[in-house]
Amino acid sequence: MPDTIDAIIVAAGAGKRLGMPVPKAFIPLAGKALFLYSLESFLAHKAIQNVILVVPSDCMNDAVQLIASLNDVTRIRICSGGAERWESVQNGMSQSSADWVLVHDAARPFLTHAVIDGILEKRNKYPCVITATPVVDTMRSYEGDKA
């Protein structure tokens, strides 16, 4: 029997540095909440059985409303996050019985199937895999106090 694979989307951070009235994962980007991009990508991937969405406890109802119109809602589980990121991941893990679990940060909305496939290809060789994107140097030109 093939491995079962779940995904956890950690969307429980407050995003205080942004100074927004809603948590970072719930901020709209092009008309929809940031976390929905990753959620839809995982749901559309053929290898992912379930997606566990970890949100702040006071946003549970908002999350339910935001996912209500999605396909495969039965494959989504929602749980509340913890005070720290590791607690949120642990809460998500408690909702899964899969052989493999992918953990993803909701603040990274542009998850592709190529990235998921790249991780899954390595699961037979390594016990743990992490993705990274090379840093791109940025140069800015300023004149006075304007860019």
Side-chain angles (χ1 to χ4, degrees), residues 8 19 21 26 30 46-47 66 69 76 78 85 91 96 99 102 113 123 126 136 138-139 147:
I8 296 173
F26 288 78
K46 64 186 181 316
L66 287 167
S69 64
I76 304 169
I78 302 174
R85 180 180 169 82
N91 291 354
S96 176
D99 299 316
L102 306 179
H113 284 195
R123 75 182 184 274
Y126 302 102
V136 177
T138 302
M139 295 182 68

Side-chain angles (χ1 to χ4, degrees), residues 131-139:
T131 60
T133 303
V135 175
V136 177
D137 291 332
T138 302
M139 295 182 68

Side-chain angles (χ1 to χ4, degrees), residues 29 33-39 41 104-112:
L29 175 65
L34 197 61
F35 77 83
L36 287 172
Y37 290 92
S38 301
L39 180 62
S41 187
H104 183 72
D105 185 347
R108 311 284 180 260
F110 304 118
L111 176 66
T112 65

Side-chain angles (χ1 to χ4, degrees), residues 52-71:
I52 300 148
L53 180 63
V54 185
V55 300
S57 58
D58 60 345
C59 293
M60 296 281 279
N61 289 335
D62 294 332
V64 169
Q65 288 177 347
L66 287 167
I67 67 166
S69 64
L70 297 178
N71 293 332

